[in-house]
Amino acid sequence: SQKIEQNSEALNIQEGKTATLTCNYTNYSPAYLQWYRQDPGRGPVFLLLIRENEKEKRKERLKVTFDTTLKQSLFHITASQPADSATYLCALVGSSNTGKLIFGQGTTLQVKP
Amino acid sequence: DADVTQTPRNRITKTGKRIMLECSQTKGHDRMYWYRQDPGLGLRLIYYSFDVKDINKGEISDGYSVSRQAQAKFSLSLESAIPNQTALYFCATSPTGLPYEQYFGPGTRLTVT
């Protein structure tokens, strides 16, 4: 069955460092991979996406990579700030018109000042 | 004003009661979704709707029903609530075409005692 995995352990880093979060998947060939941010008690917010034929995508301090051979996406936040502390979810989208996403369980990032 | 709104934001109900969660959106999207989120399990799809006449079951639809009253409104009902339906419920919308990025409401925290 399709499976998407994110590190369930919280990631703790110092302010100013680069945070790197991992999303691995199996038994799936996604057309897109999306990343969301979720703050406690709030709905997820879409951040950015990357297509299957793209290796890297950037948006301000965010960078996403996508390796379809390794079946893995890495999400980087450079020059991290305490305000970046949140849970980050990855989601897979297939190329068929099902309109459904498969979400990972999320990784919590804590940036310490 | 928020693009996707949910009511109520919090609800405590007793086992066996019928409860309805409502979702409204002003994004003009045809596609709407209901998810539940439990600690450690991530977001799981309950139902989704591509338009007013097209409603589909998600991975965990048992015990739930939905109604799409208009393009902008999508309601989730628990016909006879049970304690393991205690969770955070999110409504989301997405554009019709790929990559279906999701826009979430603020969530409803439901407790069934």
Side-chain angles (χ1 to χ4, degrees):
Chain A
S1 63
Q2 301 161 351
K3 195 173 181 181
I4 181 168
E5 289 187 346
Q6 296 183 255
N7 194 339
S8 59
E9 290 184 13
L11 177 63
N12 294 293
I13 65 168
Q14 206 67 33
E15 182 176 7
K17 301 292 186 182
T18 296
T20 298
L21 286 70
T22 304
C23 177
N24 295 297
Y25 60 92
T26 55
N27 298 323
Y28 202 70
S29 296
Y32 296 85
L33 193 145
Q34 303 179 5
W35 284 90
Y36 293 78
R37 170 184 172 137
Q38 186 175 21
D39 292 287
R42 292 177 173 262
V45 175
F46 172 71
L47 293 176
L48 75 169
L49 63 86
I50 187 165
R51 299 171 192 263
E52 62 177 334
N53 60 355
E54 295 177 320
K55 296 292 186 185
E56 182 179 299
K57 199 79 170 284
R58 292 176 185 261
K59 180 182 178 182
E60 298 173 351
R61 294 185 296 112
L62 307 180
K63 185 178 84 170
V64 173
T65 63
F66 195 10
D67 189 326
T68 54
T69 301
L70 292 179
K71 295 187 182 296
Q72 180 182 80
S73 175
L74 299 179
F75 178 80
H76 306 272
I77 305 175
T78 59
S80 60
Q81 305 165 359
D84 295 325
S85 299
T87 296
Y88 292 86
L89 310 173
C90 65
L92 304 179
V93 185
S95 58
S96 61
N97 193 26
T98 65
K100 296 189 294 183
L101 276 63
I102 302 173
F103 281 89
Q105 75 271 34
T107 298
T108 298
L109 172 66
Q110 188 72 34
V111 181
K112 298 184 186 298
Chain B
D1 289 340
D3 294 318
V4 183
T5 57
Q6 293 182 235
T7 55
R9 294 295 314 279
N10 289 281
R11 181 71 182 266
I12 300 174
T13 192
K14 293 185 182 299
T15 298
K17 293 290 188 182
R18 183 179 188 276
I19 183 168
M20 179 182 288
L21 309 182
E22 298 186 337
C23 176
S24 294
Q25 54 113 347
T26 59
K27 297 193 73 68
H29 291 160
D30 286 326
R31 299 192 172 199
M32 297 186 74
Y33 306 77
W34 275 105
Y35 294 92
R36 67 176 278 176
Q37 188 174 43
D38 300 275
L41 293 179
L43 286 162
R44 293 184 291 167
L45 184 62
I46 306 172
Y47 271 95
Y48 60 107
S49 171
F50 286 177
D51 63 39
V52 174
K53 296 182 180 179
D54 185 0
I55 293 177
N56 305 278
K57 292 182 178 181
E59 60 180 306
I60 55 164
S61 59
D62 287 348
Y64 301 94
S65 62
V66 291
S67 173
R68 186 80 184 267
Q69 300 95 325
Q71 187 211 34
K73 295 184 182 296
F74 193 33
S75 301
L76 176 72
S77 293
L78 286 68
E79 297 301 325
S80 179
I82 56 177
N84 76 1
Q85 291 177 314
T86 294
L88 195 51
Y89 289 84
F90 290 104
C91 173
T93 73
S94 78
T96 300
L98 283 164
Y100 311 127
E101 71 273 16
Q102 312 262 288
Y103 296 87
F104 286 83
T108 294
R109 186 169 296 280
L110 176 66
T111 303
V112 184
T113 62

